[in-house]
Amino acid sequence: MAAAILKQTPARTTSADRTFPPGFLWGAATAAYQIEGAAALDGRTPSIWDTYCRTPGKVHNGDTGDIATDHYHRWREDVGIMTDLGLGAYRFSVSWSRVQPTGRGPAVQKGLDFYRRLTDELLEADIKPVVTLYHWDLPQEIEDAGGWPERATADRFAEYAALVADALGDRVESWTTLNEPWCSAFLGYGSGVHAPGRTDQVAALRAAHHLNLAHGKAVQALRAHLPARAQMSITLNFHHVRPLTSGPEDADAARRIDALANRVFTGPLVNGAYPADLFQDTAHLTDWSFVRDGDTSTIHQPLDFLGVNYYTPTLVSVSQGADTRRSDGHRPSPHSPWPGSDDVAFHLPPGETTAMGWAIDPSGLHDLLLRLTNDFPGLPLVITENGAAFHDYVNPAGEVHDPERIAYLSGHLTAVHQAIEAGADVRGYFLWSLLDNFEWGYGYSKRFGAVYVDYPTGTRIPKSSARWYARVARTGTLPEGSGQQP
């Protein structure tokens, strides 16, 4: 059995050597729909992303996850790559519609067998499996019944969680319920740039609550089906929100976006209550009567660690009349993912950007980690996603050199190291992503992987950043001279 992610609080280190504490966990992450393929094999039925991809104009180039990187058939090769990179852990998600095709009823054993084989191979390679139960691929039949805006979906999710726990609980100790529920709720049901593509601000708020409720019910189900040593977490894509100016209006804009981006989840998850200002800011849209007595107690389950996804900071101001909402870092849409905040403008922070157009700013990660440490003392943190897309290509020698990604990773890992020195209890770091893959609405046009994938053939080519990260993972030390200081 693999060791758990979290042990005792690690010892502090000095900034001179940039060596991470003993026991710090180095890994990489992926998501089922982005890499598995085999979309109609062994009983799997469509998820909302299968349907969304087939809706004209929704995904770049009409791309789908039907084949993706064919991880469903090449998983042994991919575990071999992880072994070569010296990874200590692999964070992967389970496809709900592969395990429970209609989102209800008994599990499909062929689907579970895939994850059993993958987990066994990881354990044989001494790589810790870290399971995420939901990374956005809701079974289409559940969406047809109303999806996340409906309360019943939370109950269905808890039943699914129990099925996976029964199958993998003797092998897996670290469990994450949901990945980035903000995206599921507000991009999926608000702006419509993610599946299922709905554009209803009240439905987005309802979805956020029911995702929170699903987390709480799933943790209860997991604890009922897993050994006591099992660890529970949720992964949030924190928006590190900064005001454009020091003026009170911009400060209030930042407060409003922080409530919608972050505290709508951390409030009930960690503190046991939704923030009052969130209710006030959205009172003209809904009375929040879908939050029933006892819901926040169900949501407020003990966490063993909090997953932190970070890519870029968010810069906001009060709107001066120009519609700059599309600069919030997400795909453009005439519909806002920010309910009740049409008077908030989003700005691109200064400096270099990635291929996604996202500002490269490691200081945002440093400051975020210290804020979370201050807000939630005693709750360990794990960086569950951090990485960047760049315009990678194979050179005539058959190699992929990506110095921009190395600089990005080095800068952000330096920020993590400095946050640890300042008192943040950060226990691990998962690079996003192990492989180039299907990048949601961007299709195959954006490459986040440390390993290049030639999509027509499926050939994997480790990039320069993979070799760089392998050295860091093996030594726990950042090479001198390549990082950007926060």
Side-chain angles (χ1 to χ4, degrees):
M1 175 61 64
I5 282 184
L6 305 176
K7 295 295 186 184
Q8 60 187 5
T9 302
R12 306 301 177 205
T13 60
T14 64
S15 58
D17 56 13
R18 292 198 297 174
T19 296
F20 282 76
F24 191 87
L25 190 63
W26 299 96
T30 63
Y33 189 73
Q34 292 182 274
I35 66 167
E36 283 182 2
L41 196 63
D42 292 339
R44 184 187 180 277
T45 56
S47 74
I48 55 175
W49 272 97
D50 295 279
T51 303
Y52 189 78
C53 289
R54 283 165 172 75
T55 305
K58 293 298 186 182
V59 176
H60 175 79
N61 200 41
D63 292 340
T64 75
D66 287 358
I67 299 174
T69 72
D70 199 26
H71 175 73
Y72 192 76
H73 296 108
R74 305 180 71 141
W75 55 274
R76 281 194 178 89
E77 177 184 358
D78 292 337
V79 174
I81 291 172
M82 298 178 220
T83 302
D84 291 343
L85 296 180
L87 298 185
Y90 175 49
R91 176 178 176 252
F92 63 93
S93 75
V94 174
S95 167
W96 189 347
S97 59
R98 190 180 298 285
V99 166
Q100 195 185 30
T102 64
R104 64 185 73 233
V108 172
Q109 291 304 312
K110 285 187 177 180
L112 287 173
D113 285 345
F114 168 71
Y115 297 106
R116 291 184 179 108
R117 291 191 300 269
L118 172 62
T119 300
D120 288 345
E121 190 82 1
L122 291 167
L123 293 172
E124 182 67 24
D126 199 25
I127 298 171
K128 296 176 181 61
V130 179
V131 168
T132 299
L133 289 171
Y134 185 74
H135 199 130
W136 306 352
D137 46 358
L138 187 71
Q140 183 60 46
E141 290 196 26
I142 296 293
E143 173 59 25
D144 293 342
W148 286 114
E150 295 301 318
R151 187 179 187 88
T153 305
D155 294 317
R156 301 289 82 74
F157 183 69
E159 294 166 2
Y160 155 69
L163 293 175
V164 181
D166 285 342
L168 300 180
D170 61 337
R171 299 163 168 88
V172 176
E173 292 189 2
S174 297
W175 296 79
T176 298
T177 55
L178 305 171
N179 179 81
E180 298 187 352
W182 185 89
C183 294
S184 297
F186 295 102
L187 299 184
Y189 294 92
S191 66
V193 300
H194 275 194
R198 290 162 61 179
T199 54
D200 181 334
Q201 291 194 341
V202 175
L205 293 170
R206 290 174 60 91
H209 174 62
H210 294 140
L211 282 155
N212 282 334
L213 188 62
H215 159 81
K217 287 175 175 285
V219 170
Q220 291 176 330
L222 290 171
R223 292 202 185 280
H225 287 257
L226 293 173
R229 64 178 179 272
Q231 298 175 327
M232 304 296 145
S233 70
I234 187 171
T235 282
L236 304 177
N237 57 311
F238 287 98
H239 292 66
H240 183 64
V241 186
R242 292 168 169 164
L244 182 65
T245 72
S246 59
E249 290 185 333
D250 287 358
D252 190 63
R255 177 201 59 76
R256 293 176 66 176
I257 297 305
D258 180 64
L260 285 166
N262 302 320
R263 290 182 287 118
V264 64
F265 299 109
T266 58
L269 288 167
V270 185
N271 295 327
Y274 281 100
D277 61 328
L278 171 68
F279 286 178
Q280 294 165 1
D281 292 341
T282 57
H284 62 294
L285 296 173
T286 177
D287 61 3
W288 288 80
S289 59
F290 47 83
V291 180
R292 299 182 184 176
D293 290 345
D295 280 2
T296 51
S297 295
T298 299
I299 296 167
H300 184 44
Q301 298 296 316
L303 295 173
D304 295 293
F305 63 96
L306 179 60
V308 178
N309 289 2
Y310 172 87
Y311 292 92
T312 188
T314 301
L315 187 63
V316 302
S317 72
V318 66
S319 176
Q320 299 298 326
D323 182 6
T324 52
R325 189 175 61 226
R326 295 180 180 84
S327 298
D328 65 359
H330 307 291
R331 291 175 62 221
S333 169
H335 305 277
S336 173
W338 306 103
S341 297
D342 289 342
D343 58 345
V344 175
F346 292 79
H347 306 269
L348 179 66
E352 295 181 90
T353 61
T354 69
M356 298 290 288
W358 298 346
I360 300 173
D361 188 347
S363 71
L365 179 55
H366 173 271
D367 296 347
L368 171 63
L369 293 173
L370 292 184
R371 174 199 170 170
L372 296 175
T373 297
N374 181 69
D375 288 353
F376 312 123
L379 181 57
L381 308 173
V382 174
I383 311 299
T384 40
E385 287 184 27
N386 178 239
F390 291 103
H391 301 292
D392 305 320
Y393 62 93
V394 182
N395 67 20
E399 301 168 332
V400 181
H401 295 300
D402 55 343
E404 302 93 346
R405 184 171 290 103
I406 292 173
Y408 180 98
L409 296 177
S410 183
H412 285 76
L413 283 169
T414 297
V416 174
H417 185 270
Q418 293 182 350
I420 291 172
E421 287 188 310
D425 185 7
V426 185
R427 303 291 182 88
Y429 177 94
F430 287 78
L431 169 68
W432 185 269
S433 177
L434 177 69
L435 304 167
D436 289 338
N437 54 47
F438 175 82
E439 186 49 42
W440 308 114
Y442 295 95
Y444 296 100
S445 67
K446 306 297 182 185
R447 294 181 177 271
F448 275 88
V451 176
Y452 185 95
V453 177
D454 178 70
Y455 295 116
T457 65
T459 300
R460 278 89 159 122
I461 304 173
K463 304 173 187 178
S464 298
S465 60
R467 294 189 292 273
W468 180 90
Y469 188 62
R471 175 184 171 188
V472 174
R474 287 192 174 96
T475 65
T477 300
L478 287 174
E480 293 291 338
S482 59
Q484 304 175 36
Q485 298 298 320

